[in-house]
Amino acid sequence: AAGTAQARRYGRMDEEEEEEGGGGRRATGSPASPPPARFVRCLYAVGFLDLFGVSMVVPLMNHHIKSLGASHTVAGIIGSLYGVMQLFSSTFVGCWSDIVGRRYSLLACILLSALGYFLLGNSTTVFLFALSRVPVGVFKHTLSISKALLSDLVSERDRPLVMGRFNAASGVGFILGPVVGGYLAELEGGFYQTSFICASIFLLNGGLVWMLPWSEENSSNRDHYEDKGTNSFSAKSNHDLHLKSATSRDATNSFFQSPWIQVAAMLKKIKGIACSNLWDVFLVRFLMSVAILLYYSNFTLALEERFGVKPLFAGYLLSYSSALGVLAGCLLGPITTLYGHNTYRLLLHSSTFTCMLILLYASALSIWMVILSSTFLAFSTTIGRTCIIDLELTVGGNEASGTLLGVGQSVTSVGRIIAPLLSGIAQEFSPCGPPGLAVGLALLAVVIMNTNKQKYHSHGSVKLKN
């Protein structure tokens, strides 16, 4: 009876009126279904198709813009344009998804990204090429919104596992895409064909999102809450999940509100994040992002200078690391269980391990030490990326998951802008300069986490408000 009452309390909001009028839905005593498995699997497919389509085109873009007659400087400026737009748009688009709902914001981002790649397929001049990057730079946040939607669907306990699998599915697309794109580029007009195929994949993705079983998501959320109540999980966690359902329903209705009301709500959410005590989490994310970017910044050139290996070998080594990263995403479930679902401790250990592995690479005396460091670095960085996202959502609360992920993406974009500059300066001193600087930044991130460990002492499950 208690389980039934709790299920009714935390059930889907649009069914509560029917249940109250009809006497409610009785528990049968059978085990409640897990979180919406089919819905989550569809989101895995969305992540796979997204990076599969993007990775088909991105490796070919530099060659194409130079074939249009652009100089190296112009090509670099246009390349930076995407990063700058992502820097400013990710926070607002993520916050917008909190206001209008995941479904409509995700559809809008996918369709407008498809428009950008369609324009790219018609880019016969440098101006059209630059124009095609605008809708993609502003609205290509499909992965962030998908992660926010996954955060809405599952409990904090299951979130690292689901996020890890989502990253693994996206990683498979990132591995396969360049192979298909490289094959298509060999054909006559290959770049244009590849761009149109990428746009078509995004349209397919939009259709998949439109046909997602949204009603199943809501009913499965209700069963998920009932299961959590029956197994005596945290009542506070149940309450947070209930709030997520209510917020999701209100956000869907907000899609048709005045744009000024939406902008005011967005600014209010962003101000709340800016005034919160999340600065250390975002600083750790920034430092670790720059450290990893510095590690990869001159990877191919450094291997050639230090060990005399060809760029082809470096390419194989990077592909090998990407495949291991996919495997690491699939193993996050057992790893988080081993750590008792303590995300903070897992992040601290993975960041420390990453720092040690980059130091091993910087001081490597043979290529076998580089292979060894790359092998384990693929695991530690994949685990670290998932844990930092989970910690952001845990500390900041689930009511603004889109905003939190957007701010985190902006922080990473700042790292992408700064890392090439730092890498260029460090390379003036030594080929090992960038990874040496990366070790210092990663060590600083570990020190910051240790300094603030009392903040996350309650098994990483305490939510810290403004």
Side-chain angles (χ1 to χ4, degrees):
T4 305
Q6 198 165 17
R8 290 178 60 192
R9 181 184 177 190
Y10 299 121
R12 189 173 56 173
M13 299 299 294
D14 59 352
E15 288 188 2
E16 279 188 344
E17 296 177 2
E18 297 177 8
E19 289 183 353
E20 289 171 0
R25 176 177 168 177
R26 297 183 60 85
T28 61
S30 60
S33 62
R38 187 171 65 155
F39 197 98
V40 172
R41 285 196 296 268
C42 289
L43 285 179
Y44 293 162
V46 169
F48 168 79
L49 289 173
D50 185 278
L51 275 191
F52 176 73
V54 170
S55 61
M56 286 173 56
V57 176
V58 170
L60 310 175
M61 292 178 62
N62 271 342
H63 183 268
H64 176 68
I65 190 172
K66 288 177 182 176
S67 71
L68 296 176
S71 65
H72 292 286
T73 303
V74 172
I77 292 173
I78 294 177
S80 299
L81 178 66
Y82 175 83
V84 172
M85 287 187 293
Q86 287 272 295
L87 168 64
F88 291 103
S89 66
S90 56
T91 299
F92 290 98
V93 173
C95 185
W96 183 59
S97 75
D98 289 331
I99 303 299
V100 305
R102 310 287 183 226
R103 183 181 192 178
Y104 298 107
S105 58
L106 185 57
L107 273 172
C109 287
I110 290 175
L111 295 179
L112 289 168
S113 297
L115 173 64
Y117 286 110
F118 178 78
L119 292 175
L120 188 65
N122 289 283
S123 59
T124 54
T125 64
V126 175
F127 174 75
L128 288 175
F129 185 95
L131 182 64
S132 70
R133 302 303 290 159
V134 174
V136 180
V138 174
F139 292 102
K140 177 59 183 70
H141 301 289
T142 49
L143 294 181
S144 296
I145 297 177
S146 297
K147 290 176 182 178
L149 180 54
L150 285 173
S151 174
D152 296 339
L153 288 173
V154 301
S155 66
E156 289 182 8
R157 187 180 183 88
D158 298 326
R159 189 166 57 206
L161 169 64
V162 173
M163 290 291 188
R165 289 178 176 173
F166 179 81
N167 291 336
S170 304
V172 172
F174 194 78
I175 292 172
L176 297 178
V179 178
V180 178
Y183 173 77
L184 293 173
E186 297 294 327
L187 306 176
E188 185 178 355
F191 179 82
Y192 299 106
Q193 294 181 25
T194 306
S195 300
F196 285 130
I197 292 174
C198 178
S200 301
I201 290 174
F202 271 80
L203 291 176
L204 175 65
N205 229 359
L208 178 61
V209 170
W210 179 258
M211 293 186 295
L212 279 174
W214 296 93
S215 59
E216 176 185 301
E217 170 223 354
N218 290 328
S219 61
S220 298
N221 269 340
R222 179 188 57 207
D223 293 336
H224 181 48
Y225 307 145
E226 178 180 353
D227 180 55
K228 289 176 71 66
T230 304
N231 289 281
S232 301
F233 279 132
S234 166
K236 179 175 176 59
S237 179
N238 275 342
H239 180 63
D240 290 333
L241 289 168
H242 167 62
L243 287 177
K244 285 192 288 186
S245 278
T247 304
S248 177
R249 182 194 178 201
D250 294 339
T252 302
N253 296 331
S254 299
F255 181 75
F256 301 101
Q257 286 182 352
S258 165
W260 295 110
I261 297 176
Q262 295 182 19
V263 169
M266 288 166 56
L267 293 176
K268 184 177 179 181
K269 279 183 174 288
I270 294 172
K271 179 183 177 183
I273 298 297
C275 298
S276 69
N277 52 0
L278 283 163
W279 66 269
D280 56 325
V281 179
F282 290 125
L283 180 57
V284 167
R285 177 167 184 164
F286 171 76
L287 292 171
M288 293 305 299
S289 297
V290 175
I292 295 168
L293 289 168
L294 285 172
Y295 168 80
Y296 286 110
S297 62
N298 70 332
F299 189 77
T300 302
L301 180 62
L303 289 186
E304 186 174 4
E305 291 185 5
R306 294 172 63 190
F307 306 105
V309 299
K310 299 298 182 184
L312 180 61
F313 177 83
Y316 282 132
L317 188 56
L318 290 174
S319 297
Y320 165 71
S321 299
S322 299
L324 289 178
V326 172
L327 177 61
C330 297
L331 294 177
L332 260 172
I335 295 173
T336 53
T337 302
L338 180 65
Y339 273 78
H341 300 275
N342 190 333
T343 304
Y344 165 75
R345 190 157 60 95
L346 181 55
L347 176 63
L348 177 61
H349 290 176
S350 67
S351 300
T352 305
F353 197 37
T354 297
C355 180
M356 294 170 58
L357 290 169
I358 297 177
L359 178 61
L360 176 64
Y361 162 74
S363 59
L365 300 177
S366 69
I367 192 63
W368 293 108
M369 294 178 67
V370 175
I371 296 173
L372 179 66
S373 64
S374 298
T375 299
F376 290 102
L377 196 65
F379 284 89
S380 66
T381 53
T382 300
I383 294 170
R385 279 196 299 266
T386 305
C387 287
I388 194 67
I389 291 174
D390 185 69
L391 194 63
E392 287 173 8
L393 297 174
T394 300
V395 175
N398 294 312
E399 296 80 5
S401 54
T403 309
L404 289 167
L405 291 172
V407 173
Q409 191 64 35
S410 294
V411 169
T412 304
S413 297
V414 174
R416 290 196 185 102
I417 295 172
I418 293 177
L421 175 62
L422 293 178
S423 176
I425 296 173
Q427 284 183 75
E428 295 291 337
F429 299 93
S430 167
C432 297
L437 180 57
V439 171
L441 295 177
L443 184 60
L444 179 59
V446 171
V447 170
I448 292 172
M449 281 189 280
N450 269 314
T451 303
N452 293 275
K453 77 178 164 182
Q454 289 299 326
K455 186 175 177 180
Y456 315 103
H457 193 59
S458 302
H459 303 288
S461 61
V462 176
K463 287 184 175 59
L464 301 168
K465 299 304 178 183
N466 294 353

